[in-house]
């Protein structure tokens, strides 16, 4: 008890030195509070941002991996044959053959859907290409490119439509869809040729997630999903006006690979796209079929009745006379999950169900959300680095101050030990004094850090977002070449994540005020016009976890500084101290 009373007297007596220590600890605590709050916000944003958000995913053939394995196999076989020419061209036919017939069928997708209870729902679309006829033409603002296509194809096809697009300019798909395989759609864009894209939807959920974006009905009604709706389609208002069609009219289109096969379809509804279609799919990848205005919507049943579904095949002949069989429609199958945990569970379940490692399960929602966290992750890394620097400098400063404090009070140590007080108790007195001052400084710093954590962290995060946007803008300026994806009419703007928010029922350690579920049409765009909505604000408040970490930091600093006091006190000899003083 004597030690505690004496320690408290010294705390009151040496005000100047203890105030200095308290100020140093308060600065350390404030910086540590902001750093810990930022890191906690980043962790919480990652863990809870997609917790209650619907996530979609696809299974696709990993062509990059397949090509790499084929190249490695080819190189190993070449190395075993000393006479082989290392500069010879790759065996393209062998690689194409190895990657053929690798796409999953509709029944395969459905099998994997049943293999996991984590799947909330599924939907899919099938997209076929159609060619124009004399009486039904696609919406387009120029015929120059199509005229050249027609002239080049005239030798292989004697008949072409009046708009100059030869029916041989058909949907000749590679064995794997561009980018993501048949399970993917390259970020919502389905690459088709021909004049029109005939899109069949499996359900209303598939319609609401159409690759061309949302649309509203301006006349008529939406198609049904049973056989009674065979032949019924809805077309865009632009296409209807361009061809002077109204609800109830019929029109005829041709098979994209066989102009002798025609189909008669009935307009049961006219829709309007919610985005301006003239700004979509610009540049060298533009085609009339990929223009949303030329998209003809129906259900899966009509596609099956016409033989244009994904289970059917069409024949196409190249310039060398070789005939190939390809799927009549591109299949895009989507799995829907209630949370990221369910998505991860599904990934594990389909592997157990026998999904080959040649295929991957990917989610654009998860990838886009991870991309949106890049500035926050960078800020968290910066906060961690700053935290270590502050703690290191603070520990050194406290050790030095404690060292001078003990040496100044050397005579006091000699007197106490001379009258019979054990050295360990004297060292405990110095430790208690430092602990009291440290806790006071820690409380003041924590209070200041709690007040400043939100505005400071958001200011730092804004700087990180600005830096990331500037980097992407620079990349787009160098490599983007003006390519635009759906909804890319405007220029790249700052992505303030107002689309959705993290679970608002969370306590004060809820991370993101505005964590995006799916980035929408604003934000800097990547090579293919992919918008990224960065997390631009966080609720970096001080939680109980942060307070606990601050207490540990305070105790750690106290023990480090007190250890110096203990070492010096244990080395002092009381008689020698008194003799030196006299």
């Amino acid at each position: 008890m004597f030690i505690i009373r004496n320690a408290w007297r010294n705390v009151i007596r040496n005000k100047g030195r203890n105030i200095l220590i308290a100020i140093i600890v308060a600065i350390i605590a404030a910086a540590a509070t902001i750093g810990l709050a930022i890191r906690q916000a980043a962790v919480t944003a990652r863990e809870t941002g997609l917790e209650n958000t619907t996530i979609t995913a696809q299974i696709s053939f990993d062509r990059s991996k397949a090509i790499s394995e084929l190249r490695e196999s080819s190189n190993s076989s070449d190395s075993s044959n000393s006479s082989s020419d290392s500069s010879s061209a790759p065996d393209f036919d062998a690689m194409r053959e190895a990657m053929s017939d690798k796409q999953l069928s509709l029944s395969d997708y459905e099998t994997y859907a049943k293999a996991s209870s984590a799947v909330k729902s599924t939907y899919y679309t099938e997209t076929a290409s159609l060619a124009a006829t004399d009486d039904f033409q696609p919406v387009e603002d120029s015929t120059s490119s199509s005229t050249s296509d027609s002239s080049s194809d005239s030798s292989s096809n004697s008949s072409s439509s009046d708009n100059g697009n030869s029916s041989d300019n058909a949907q000749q798909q590679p064995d794997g869809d561009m980018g993501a395989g048949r399970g993917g759609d390259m970020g919502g864009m389905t690459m088709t040729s021909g004049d029109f894209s005939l899109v069949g939807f499996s359900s209303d959920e598939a319609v609401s997630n159409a690759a061309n974006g949302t649309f509203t009905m301006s006349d008529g009604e939406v198609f049904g999903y049973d056989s009674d709706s065979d032949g019924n389609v809805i077309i865009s208002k632009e296409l209807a006006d361009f061809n002077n069609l109204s609800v109830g009219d019929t029109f005829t289109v041709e098979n994209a690979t066989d102009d002798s096969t025609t189909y008669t379809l009935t307009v049961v509804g006219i829709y309007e796209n919610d985005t301006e279609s003239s700004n979509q799919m610009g540049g060298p990848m533009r085609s009339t079929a990929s223009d949303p205005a030329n998209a003809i919507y129906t259900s899966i049943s009509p596609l099956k009745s016409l033989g244009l579904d994904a289970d059917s095949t069409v024949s196409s002949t190249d310039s060398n006379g070789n005939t190939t069989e390809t799927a009549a429609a591109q299949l895009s199958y989507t799995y829907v999950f209630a949370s990221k945990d369910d998505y991860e569970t599904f990934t594990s379940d389909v592997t157990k169900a026998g999904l080959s490692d040649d295929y991957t399960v990917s989610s654009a929602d998860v990838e886009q959300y991870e991309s949106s966290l890049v500035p926050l992750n960078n800020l968290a890394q910066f906060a961690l680095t700053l935290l270590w620097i502050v703690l290191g400098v603070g520990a050194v400063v406290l050790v030095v101050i404690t060292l001078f404090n003990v040496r100044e009070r050397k005579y006091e140590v000699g007197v106490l030990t001379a009258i019979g007080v054990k050295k360990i108790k004297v060292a405990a007195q110095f430790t208690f004094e430092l602990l009291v001052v440290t806790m006071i400084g820690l409380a003041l710093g924590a209070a200041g850090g709690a007040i400043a954590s939100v505005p400071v962290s958001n200011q730092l995060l804004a700087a990180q977002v600005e830096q990331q946007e500037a980097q992407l803008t620079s990349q787009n300026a160098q490599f983007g070449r003006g390519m635009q994806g759906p909804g890319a009419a405007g220029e790249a703007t700052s992505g303030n994540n107002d689309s959705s928010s993290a679970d608002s029922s969370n306590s004060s350690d809820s991370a993101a005020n505005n964590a995006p579920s799916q980035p929408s049409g604003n934000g800097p765009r990547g090579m293919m016009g992919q918008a990224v909505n960065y997390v631009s604000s966080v609720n970096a408040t001080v939680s109980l976890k942060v307070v606990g970490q601050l207490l540990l930091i305070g105790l750690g600093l106290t023990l480090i500084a007190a250890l110096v006091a203990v070492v010096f006190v244990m080395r002092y000899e009381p008689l020698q101290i008194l003799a030196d003083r006299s």
Side-chain angles (χ1 to χ4, degrees), residues 20 42 58 66 85 112 187 199 232 262 291 314 334 338-339 377 379 403 474 491 506 514 527 559 567 576:
L20 176 62
Q58 294 80 30
D85 184 3
Y112 290 121
V199 184
N232 293 343
T262 60
D291 189 332
V314 293
T334 302
S339 66
N377 292 335
L379 180 59
L403 175 61
S474 176
E491 63 180 4
N506 290 340
N514 298 300
M527 289 290 290
L559 292 177
V567 170
Q576 185 64 41

Side-chain angles (χ1 to χ4, degrees), residues 317-346:
T317 304
D318 58 20
S319 58
N320 297 325
N322 298 320
T323 302
T324 58
E325 294 285 337
T326 58
Q330 293 176 327
L331 172 62
S332 177
Y333 199 97
T334 302
Y335 301 89
V336 182
F337 309 96
S339 66
K340 184 180 178 182
D341 289 340
D342 289 343
Y343 161 69
E344 294 173 347
T345 299
F346 173 77

